[in-house]
Amino acid sequence: MTAPILRRLSDLRAKTAEWRRNGETIGLVPTMGALHAGHLSLAKTARETCDRVIVTIFVNPKQFNKPEDLENYPRTEHEDAAKLAPLGVDLIYCPDPDQIYPDGYATNVSVGGSITAVMEGPFRPGHFDGVATVVAKLFLQTSADKAFFGQKDYQQLMVVTRMARDLDIPIEVVGCETVREASGLAMSSRNLLLPKEALTKAAALNAAMRDAAAKATAGEPWAPLEAAARQALAEAGFTDVEYFDLRCAETLEALATLSRPARLLAAAWMDGVRLIDNIEVMELKY
Ligand code: PAF
């Protein structure tokens, strides 16, 4: 059965107050819709660990730094509700825009420090402020106990974790494994914007990442590995590699060698679509 769709904050609060009175825990899966298997796995994990599950669908204008990107973002609410139906989600919250940004709205949540100063931070000015603002609102509006995010957006996961901690919002942020196509391509709503043949070519991003990570694990220095990966991606049809970085998994500081637990993070353009991905890179322990 399709979960009820609520659009007003007062209706959401009436429901969550009832659940709270019964002592039930609430899990939140924030999304912008165009749901794929990655989102569905978050909803499944929420279902397994919380009494009640809310999936939110809100295409947040504040986090788009290019108007055409906001315009082109896929909107598939009807199909999304159908995909969630078998998962036992309790409600879908698709707030009307004024329920998030009412007239006169003037507050911005901005996470500073090293985690927003690199990669998506400079390449998408204002993006993380938009994410932190809307996620703070969704945390407070739903009063959820746990919120589930994909590790595919690793930097975003760090930002929302920091934000909740800094603002004392009583919620546990849970990072869940990236779900991939058989080709290795990370699932993303943006994949829907890629023509079929570009989808096949796009798998080169994850392949280049796995190759570079394996060589870094074997002790090779990072700079030549990055150069070789950029070359391989250009040959595979990527038009621009914005970053292909080996960074400390905790601080996102750039690493020249694999001196501590690291993450390899990349952003690159294929056929006018910006794709991001990241993988864990572990030091070998002998
Ligand atoms: O990852 C997303 O889909 C969005 O950034 C989020 C977390 C739902 C906030 O709009």
Side-chain angles (χ1 to χ4, degrees):
M1 207 178 61
T2 313
I5 297 182
L6 304 186
R7 300 187 191 276
R8 312 296 297 169
L9 176 57
S10 51
D11 294 335
L12 173 71
R13 288 232 160 108
K15 210 65 209 158
T16 53
E18 182 190 314
W19 295 341
R20 290 260 167 250
R21 275 195 301 277
N22 297 337
E24 293 171 311
T25 57
I26 301 173
L28 166 68
V29 180
T31 82
M32 296 204 297
L35 301 185
H36 51 68
H39 295 115
L40 303 184
S41 84
L42 299 178
K44 276 185 209 144
T45 308
R47 178 69 290 159
E48 283 157 18
T49 47
C50 300
D51 299 321
R52 298 288 182 173
V53 178
I54 303 174
V55 174
T56 64
I57 300 179
F58 181 67
V59 182
N60 173 34
K62 266 192 190 297
Q63 72 185 74
F64 287 84
N65 53 317
K66 290 192 178 140
E68 65 277 17
D69 200 14
L70 171 61
E71 211 167 286
N72 293 339
Y73 202 84
R75 287 160 173 87
T76 56
E77 186 184 301
H78 190 71
E79 292 88 329
D80 292 344
K83 286 180 189 168
L84 292 170
L87 302 183
V89 163
D90 293 280
L91 72 82
I92 304 173
Y93 180 49
C94 298
D96 290 335
D98 70 340
Q99 302 298 286
I100 301 289
Y101 302 121
D103 252 6
Y105 184 86
T107 300
N108 188 39
V109 180
S110 185
V111 176
S114 64
I115 60 169
T116 51
V118 294
M119 299 183 294
E120 298 297 291
F123 276 107
R124 302 188 66 190
H127 170 66
F128 283 135
D129 285 6
V131 170
T133 302
V134 80
V135 171
K137 293 209 61 152
L138 293 171
F139 283 1
L140 296 169
Q141 291 194 348
T142 58
S143 70
D145 299 279
K146 293 185 185 203
F148 300 83
F149 291 84
Q151 287 182 355
K152 181 194 158 256
D153 296 293
Y154 189 77
Q155 210 178 349
Q156 165 173 282
L157 176 61
M158 293 183 85
V159 168
V160 297
T161 305
R162 183 79 260 164
M163 176 276 291
R165 203 175 292 161
D166 288 354
L167 297 181
D168 303 314
I169 301 180
I171 194 165
E172 182 191 341
V173 175
V174 183
C176 303
E177 283 291 323
T178 302
V179 178
R180 299 181 180 279
E181 305 285 355
S183 66
L185 177 67
M187 295 218 181
S188 164
S189 306
R190 286 169 195 273
N191 296 354
L192 287 178
L193 303 171
L194 283 172
K196 207 160 173 258
E197 66 288 354
L199 261 181
T200 314
K201 290 191 291 175
L205 181 59
N206 185 253
M209 293 173 76
R210 280 186 286 117
D211 183 53
K215 289 175 175 154
T217 302
E220 294 190 34
W222 184 248
L225 293 178
E226 179 186 341
R230 285 178 175 273
Q231 177 70 30
L233 291 174
E235 282 162 17
F238 281 91
T239 46
D240 188 14
V241 180
E242 289 183 349
Y243 57 84
F244 193 95
D245 291 357
L246 184 70
R247 292 185 175 271
C248 169
E250 296 283 310
T251 62
L252 296 186
E253 192 184 322
L255 299 177
T257 56
L258 192 55
S259 47
R260 53 192 131 141
R263 211 85 200 175
L264 164 50
L265 307 102
W269 289 82
M270 164 73 69
D271 271 28
V273 179
R274 186 173 186 273
L275 300 174
I276 64 170
D277 196 358
N278 73 87
I279 58 174
E280 190 180 25
V281 189
M282 294 301 285
E283 282 172 283
L284 284 180
K285 298 261 184 284
Y286 294 103

Coordinates of all heavy atoms in Angstrom, one line a residue, residues 89 136 146 163 183 210-211 274:
V89 N 7.1 2.0 4.5 CA 7.4 3.4 5.0 C 6.1 3.9 5.6 O 5.0 3.7 5.1 CB 7.9 4.2 3.8 CG1 7.8 5.7 4.1 CG2 9.3 3.8 3.4
A136 N 18.8 20.7 8.6 CA 18.5 21.1 10.0 C 16.9 21.2 10.1 O 16.4 20.8 11.1 CB 19.2 22.4 10.3
K146 N 16.8 9.0 14.3 CA 17.9 8.6 13.4 C 17.7 9.1 12.0 O 16.5 9.1 11.6 CB 18.1 7.1 13.3 CG 18.5 6.5 14.6 CD 18.7 5.0 14.4 CE 19.0 4.3 15.7 NZ 19.8 3.1 15.5
M163 N 26.8 19.5 11.6 CA 25.7 20.4 11.9 C 24.9 20.0 13.1 O 24.6 20.7 14.0 CB 24.9 20.6 10.6 CG 23.7 21.5 10.7 SD 22.2 20.6 11.3 CE 21.9 19.5 10.0
S183 N 28.1 -2.3 -13.1 CA 29.3 -1.7 -13.7 C 30.2 -1.0 -12.7 O 31.3 -0.6 -13.0 CB 28.9 -0.7 -14.8 OG 28.3 0.4 -14.2
R210 N 39.0 2.7 -8.4 CA 39.5 1.5 -7.8 C 40.9 1.2 -8.2 O 41.7 0.7 -7.4 CB 38.5 0.3 -8.2 CG 37.3 0.4 -7.4 CD 36.4 -0.8 -7.6 NE 35.7 -0.7 -8.9 CZ 35.8 -1.5 -9.9 NH1 36.6 -2.5 -9.8 NH2 35.1 -1.3 -11.0
D211 N 41.3 1.5 -9.4 CA 42.6 1.2 -9.9 C 43.6 2.1 -9.1 O 44.6 1.6 -8.6 CB 42.7 1.6 -11.4 CG 44.1 1.3 -12.0 OD1 44.5 0.1 -11.8 OD2 44.7 2.2 -12.6
R274 N 27.1 16.2 -14.0 CA 28.2 16.2 -13.1 C 28.0 14.9 -12.2 O 27.0 14.8 -11.5 CB 28.1 17.4 -12.2 CG 29.3 17.6 -11.3 CD 29.2 19.0 -10.6 NE 30.4 19.2 -9.8 CZ 30.5 18.8 -8.5 NH1 29.5 18.2 -7.9 NH2 31.6 19.1 -7.8

